[in-house]
Amino acid sequence: MKPVQTSASIGSETRSAGMALMGGLATRVMWGLGLPLLGLSAFLLVWSLAASHINTSLGKFPGPVAVAQQVQNMYQEYERAQQKKAAFYQRQEARNAARVASDPSYKPRVVPYTGQPTFVSQIGTSLFTVLSGFLLASLIAIPIGIAIGLSAGLYAAFNPLIQLFRPVSPLAWLPLVTIVVSAVYVSSDPMFSKSYLVSMITVMLCALWPTIINTAVGVASISRDLQNVSRVLRLGWWTHVRKIVLPASLPMMFTGLRLSLSIAWMVLIAAEMLAQNPGLGKFVWDEFQNGSSQSLSRIMVAVIVIGLIGYMLDQVMLLLQRLISWDKKAVLR
Amino acid sequence: MSEHDEKRTLNNPKRRRFMQLSATAAAVGAALGTGLTSPSAFASGKLGYPEKEQLTFGFIKLTDMAPLAIAYEKGFFEDEGLYVSLQAQANWKVLLDGVVSGSLDGAHMLAGQPLAATIGYGTKAHIVTPYSMDLNGNGITMSNSVWAQMKELVPHNNGKPVHPIGADSLAPVVEQYKKAGKPFNMGMVFPVSTHNYYLRYWLAAGGLKPGYYNSLKGDTSGQLGADVLLSVTPPPQMPATLEAGTIEGYCVGEPWNEQAIVKGIGVPVITDYEIWKNNPEKVFGLTSEFVSKYPNTAVRVVKALIRAGHWLDENNNANRLEAVKLLSKPQYVGADAAVIAKSMTGTFEYEKGDVRKVPDFNVFFRHDATYPFYSDAVWFLTQMRRWGQIPTQQPDSWYFDVAKKVYRPDIYRRAAEALVADGKFKPSQFPDFATETGFKPATDDFIDGVTYDGRKPNEYLTQFDIGLKGKETV
């Protein structure tokens, strides 16, 4: 039997639902937009106040306005560089044509633009390097993590190595990597530049550890119930890893991967600065060395971009975890 | 070579004898080159296309890298069919490693670097130099407080200090530091840098001991028995290091002396032009392997660089303002144009507001600035010996052998002749290659008046009170 509803009760219900909805919306706007904006504007205020009180030998520390102007400047520089690039290819084409005319056996070859990499292309270089280093690190770290998580013996054998190498600073690895790569990677027509390999391997060496440790801990702490299920079903080793171990340890593994990626990004910038390998780190170091009146604001632009990219990388990992994870209700942040 | 120089050469009997000797040697060398090995690239004839078109050159953020920037921006490299990328390097060590490992094809280098690498001091590698990049261009800067104390001891004329200022006015300041038990630290840019040697020269001429290296015992600090402790700082970081108080002064190339004036943190007291008039400075360095593998490329690089050097000095430095604008771009030197202009346009600002004319502060072509003279190489080697980097006595012939191994006027000559054949230069703009011996006439244009004759390195060293000579070791 259906309860009879009076129009009044319906009205009041919708009204309260509506109010709840409105209230919910307000809260969500507040949390999603209001508070972050408040935080950001407070930061901008503190920044511009502090900046106006810091006098350096290169003039005042850049505030938000100076940095915004510099973003515009750098964009114009990028546009000019694009024009120069086009002119470069045109000249090259003409030169090649002239040489073919006088020397028909010559096979012209197009040399890539030789001008200074722009800020935009430095971002591209850094992103490519960090992603390849991180990918390589993950390919090595995940299997090792699973193996030492499954076997207490392996863990005992491997643990001292992890503890020994984990705290090593990227700046200590860099000279070793540089020298080894220069000695070992000898080729007349190399596929990768040495500077890329050096940055990439340094990043890889530093980004291994969080993934290994977290994967191992994740694998080792799978619940008894799940392990019993596997035992009862008499799953083979490989199926056990695939159906039980991986899904159950995925959240921990992703925590490790996210830590690794953020470390990879920090390490890359430091390595680029020290070794002068192309990328955002080199941009920062060059600007520091320039010591021009615009240098500080240009470095600040780079700092903000580095931060934004780090944030973006983390968000991408989060998205990936949501897609892959079995437990869609888990709270991820 | 100017008429004046030519006369000097011809009137010098020793120089003439040397010319005959080296002419014979050149003939033998040419015969060997054409007869035994594959056709010598540095023999005359039409210059071929470059074997390697895509090149990466390193440089340090200093105004004397200008020939590289100009050759790139003015299209001189492209005219030779070369596609060159220029990459700023963090410091001289990174740059040297880049050239040795091959990640850089060549670089703007300290004159001492190819020499030291070839004799195996520090990094061991056979590096050669076919092109000398400039004359002069350095300064010595002291912190404001040290300058204030020095200034009281410096003679004045019309209210302004009389230049050149010797290190004898620094000596009492260092003495005070010593009494207070404090070290007196100064910066230079690399153990085998011209800056190390000019700073040491200046200090020693004023009676201050800059300390010895003892490479037999592996001491590379260069501070044994020192009154003034010298240490390495990369050029662009000099002002920041001075500002931080780590050092009391430094010797560095431009614009990092004038930057101290602009930042208000220090005062350049002397330029290297006043320590040794028209002293050789940076060189362009390549590995000997590169030169023998890509001979046409090497010659073409030198052609482009000669044009760039000439452009910089043309019409009485008429192009310097344009060069300043180019150099102030972030990818080259990057300092503000106003700072770079202070020394690049024929003037030098000592104390704030004390701007003086130094038209030859930085020379890129005139006075045969780009020709790789053996006598310049020998001078740098004598300084390595003087301060213990070369630990034991070497016969004069050893100095000449090293110089000939590293300095390659044959490549320069090939480039110059090709430029003449292209109609871009007149033979009179270069030394007379038929008679040039590679040894400049003896000179006493030094702050201490000592005479340097490149043909007598051991005899030269005996003239100094401070420094190793003869059989002495540290």
Side-chain angles (χ1 to χ4, degrees):
Chain A
M1 196 182 186
K2 274 185 188 169
V4 179
Q5 287 185 329
T6 60
S7 64
S9 78
I10 292 172
S12 83
E13 230 167 63
T14 25
R15 205 180 314 134
S16 68
M19 273 174 72
L21 199 70
M22 289 287 281
L25 198 66
T27 327
R28 286 177 80 176
V29 167
M30 172 83 173
W31 280 89
L33 211 62
L35 290 180
L37 276 181
L38 195 72
L40 272 179
S41 32
F43 167 71
L44 287 178
L45 193 73
V46 171
W47 175 14
S48 55
L49 277 179
S52 63
H53 286 93
I54 304 177
N55 284 309
T56 74
S57 53
L58 291 176
K60 274 206 187 341
F61 192 83
V65 180
V67 170
Q69 274 167 356
Q70 205 48 245
V71 170
Q72 206 184 342
N73 273 354
M74 283 159 72
Y75 182 71
Q76 283 163 358
E77 263 168 40
Y78 169 74
E79 282 185 323
R80 276 198 295 274
Q82 294 307 100
Q83 286 164 9
K84 273 185 98 171
K85 196 169 173 175
F88 171 84
Y89 283 116
Q90 242 171 21
R91 285 200 307 274
Q92 192 177 170
E93 218 170 281
R95 195 164 298 114
N96 279 340
R99 184 162 164 190
V100 170
S102 72
D103 170 16
S105 66
Y106 177 67
K107 286 201 181 58
R109 174 174 90 80
V110 177
V111 175
Y113 179 55
T114 54
Q116 185 69 8
T118 58
F119 188 66
V120 178
S121 69
Q122 298 280 41
I123 294 177
T125 310
S126 284
L127 268 179
F128 179 70
T129 315
V130 80
L131 289 179
S132 46
F134 169 70
L135 212 68
L136 191 64
S138 308
L139 285 179
I140 296 170
I142 293 175
I144 292 180
I146 293 175
I148 65 175
L150 285 174
S151 149
L154 266 182
Y155 181 80
F158 213 80
N159 192 40
L161 290 180
I162 299 179
Q163 302 309 334
L164 182 69
F165 288 122
R166 193 173 54 103
V168 175
S169 151
L171 306 187
W173 282 122
L174 194 65
L176 290 178
V177 175
T178 310
I179 287 178
V180 171
V181 167
S182 315
V184 175
Y185 190 69
V186 185
S187 141
S188 56
D189 186 24
M191 190 154 75
F192 302 110
S193 68
K194 278 183 184 157
S195 58
Y196 162 75
L197 283 182
V198 168
S199 305
M200 199 270 284
I201 293 173
T202 310
V203 162
M204 190 266 293
L205 282 174
C206 297
L208 282 174
W209 315 109
T211 307
I212 293 189
I213 294 171
N214 279 281
T215 309
V217 171
V219 170
S221 58
I222 295 171
S223 77
R224 285 263 155 245
D225 296 345
L226 282 173
Q227 295 195 4
N228 287 337
V229 168
S230 168
R231 211 163 290 150
V232 168
L233 292 177
R234 292 175 184 275
L235 294 182
W237 182 83
W238 177 237
T239 326
H240 171 67
V241 169
R242 216 157 37 97
K243 298 276 182 192
I244 306 284
V245 172
L246 274 180
S249 57
L250 212 59
M252 281 294 276
M253 206 187 287
F254 260 98
T255 309
L257 286 172
R258 279 171 67 189
L259 283 173
S260 281
L261 185 54
S262 63
I263 286 182
W265 184 237
M266 283 200 278
V267 164
L268 176 69
I269 303 297
E272 284 171 351
M273 278 176 83
L274 194 69
Q276 296 290 285
N277 292 339
L280 283 169
K282 183 171 164 61
F283 175 87
V284 170
W285 194 251
D286 279 352
E287 282 301 332
F288 168 59
Q289 292 208 318
N290 285 350
S292 93
S293 47
Q294 299 188 331
S295 288
L296 291 179
S297 37
R298 291 168 72 95
I299 291 175
M300 205 64 206
V301 174
V303 164
I304 291 171
V305 169
I306 290 169
L308 278 175
I309 291 176
Y311 174 69
M312 197 194 73
L313 288 174
D314 194 56
Q315 291 298 304
V316 170
M317 285 303 290
L318 203 63
L319 198 74
L320 211 65
Q321 183 174 1
R322 285 220 176 90
L323 282 176
I324 296 177
S325 172
W326 272 254
D327 183 4
K328 302 287 181 201
K329 275 177 264 161
V331 179
L332 299 173
R333 56 168 86 193
Chain B
M1 190 182 277
S2 71
E3 252 171 64
H4 174 67
D5 284 341
E6 235 163 84
K7 243 178 253 152
R8 254 196 317 197
T9 314
L10 295 177
N11 289 341
N12 186 334
K14 276 185 194 148
R15 196 164 190 203
R16 234 178 334 195
R17 201 179 57 217
F18 211 90
M19 278 160 11
Q20 284 161 359
L21 275 178
S22 64
T24 324
V28 171
L32 283 176
T34 45
L36 296 177
T37 54
S38 54
S40 168
F42 307 116
S44 41
K46 196 174 179 305
L47 182 61
Y49 288 112
E51 299 87 354
K52 189 173 185 197
E53 295 171 340
Q54 214 177 330
L55 302 166
T56 309
F57 293 154
F59 69 90
I60 296 287
K61 289 179 171 286
L62 287 162
T63 51
D64 55 22
M65 63 75 65
L68 285 171
I70 298 304
Y72 179 85
E73 296 285 341
K74 293 276 147 197
F76 298 158
F77 282 133
E78 287 186 25
D79 286 351
E80 300 298 329
L82 303 171
Y83 298 96
V84 173
S85 309
L86 299 175
Q87 279 183 6
Q89 306 294 309
N91 58 57
W92 290 110
K93 172 81 176 113
V94 167
L95 176 136
L96 179 64
D97 289 346
V99 173
V100 173
S101 75
S103 61
L104 296 174
D105 294 300
H108 159 234
M109 277 190 168
L110 296 161
Q113 282 183 315
L115 292 163
T118 302
I119 63 173
Y121 184 75
T123 309
K124 170 100 183 125
H126 190 183
I127 302 178
V128 300
T129 174
Y131 177 86
S132 182
M133 289 188 72
D134 59 326
L135 304 178
N136 315 318
N138 299 319
I140 295 175
T141 293
M142 304 305 300
S143 70
N144 287 334
S145 66
V146 171
W147 168 241
Q149 295 172 62
M150 278 175 78
K151 201 177 170 184
E152 290 170 15
L153 304 161
V154 172
H156 279 60
N157 189 9
N158 293 333
K160 281 188 173 173
V162 178
H163 284 272
I165 295 172
D168 44 339
S169 55
L170 176 66
V173 184
V174 174
E175 194 55 38
Q176 275 178 21
Y177 270 72
K178 264 188 170 173
K179 270 187 197 144
K182 284 192 293 181
F184 192 87
N185 298 316
M186 285 187 80
M188 46 83 183
V189 302
F190 199 68
V192 297
S193 64
T194 48
H195 314 80
N196 188 15
Y197 304 134
Y198 297 136
L199 179 54
R200 281 165 180 271
Y201 201 102
W202 179 69
L203 290 169
L208 286 166
K209 292 198 212 74
Y212 293 104
Y213 295 84
N214 187 347
S215 41
L216 283 182
K217 293 208 173 112
D219 178 274
T220 52
S221 70
Q223 298 182 341
L224 299 171
D227 295 326
V228 176
L229 305 173
L230 308 187
S231 57
V232 170
T233 306
Q237 265 103 278
M238 280 299 183
T241 315
L242 184 73
E243 201 178 357
T246 319
I247 49 177
E248 301 298 335
Y250 55 72
C251 178
V252 76
E254 272 305 291
W256 309 120
N257 293 291
E258 297 296 52
Q259 178 85 330
I261 280 287
V262 173
K263 290 176 103 181
I265 56 171
V267 176
V269 292
I270 190 167
T271 65
D272 62 343
Y273 180 77
E274 294 152 318
I275 298 172
W276 177 13
K277 209 167 141 194
N278 289 333
N279 64 77
E281 239 311 294
K282 303 291 180 318
V283 295
F284 185 77
L286 303 144
T287 60
S288 124
E289 192 196 349
F290 182 98
V291 169
S292 51
K293 214 164 144 192
Y294 311 116
N296 292 342
T297 313
V299 171
R300 285 177 179 275
V301 168
V302 175
K303 277 178 79 184
L305 289 174
I306 290 175
R307 285 179 71 192
H310 179 252
W311 183 91
L312 278 159
D313 279 9
E314 218 172 8
N315 302 330
N316 246 336
N317 297 352
N319 294 326
R320 289 293 179 96
L321 265 181
E322 190 184 339
V324 165
K325 256 190 229 152
L326 278 173
L327 289 175
S328 72
K329 288 187 176 184
Q331 68 262 39
Y332 300 126
V333 181
D336 289 346
V339 178
I340 298 177
K342 281 177 188 293
S343 67
M344 277 289 273
T345 50
T347 57
F348 193 79
E349 184 169 357
Y350 292 87
E351 231 178 328
K352 200 143 209 154
D354 185 359
V355 182
R356 303 188 186 201
K357 276 211 163 74
V358 189
D360 277 352
F361 177 82
N362 215 173
V363 172
F364 292 97
F365 190 76
R366 54 179 178 266
H367 314 313
D368 294 331
T370 52
Y371 187 79
F373 285 100
Y374 293 134
S375 51
D376 293 346
V378 171
W379 191 81
F380 293 115
L381 290 168
T382 62
Q383 300 307 299
M384 290 181 195
R385 171 70 191 122
R386 184 179 180 190
W387 304 117
Q389 290 172 334
I390 296 170
T392 52
Q393 186 178 23
Q394 302 290 348
D396 284 356
S397 59
W398 179 87
Y399 288 87
F400 307 144
D401 290 345
V402 174
K404 287 194 176 152
K405 226 170 140 185
V406 177
Y407 277 45
R408 294 291 299 271
D410 55 332
I411 303 177
Y412 183 94
R413 177 178 178 174
R414 184 80 176 88
E417 283 169 352
L419 284 168
V420 172
D422 291 350
K424 292 203 170 74
F425 282 79
K426 290 192 286 287
S428 61
Q429 289 173 288
F430 295 110
D432 182 357
F433 296 118
T435 57
E436 181 55 57
T437 61
F439 282 81
K440 287 182 192 165
T443 170
D444 60 356
D445 274 339
F446 290 87
I447 191 167
D448 55 1
V450 168
T451 304
Y452 170 64
D453 181 346
R455 295 177 197 83
K456 300 170 189 162
N458 277 299
E459 197 185 305
Y460 172 60
L461 284 170
T462 59
Q463 299 177 75
F464 297 109
D465 292 334
I466 301 177
L468 300 178
K469 47 191 150 298
K471 286 196 167 67
E472 284 174 9
T473 51
V474 180

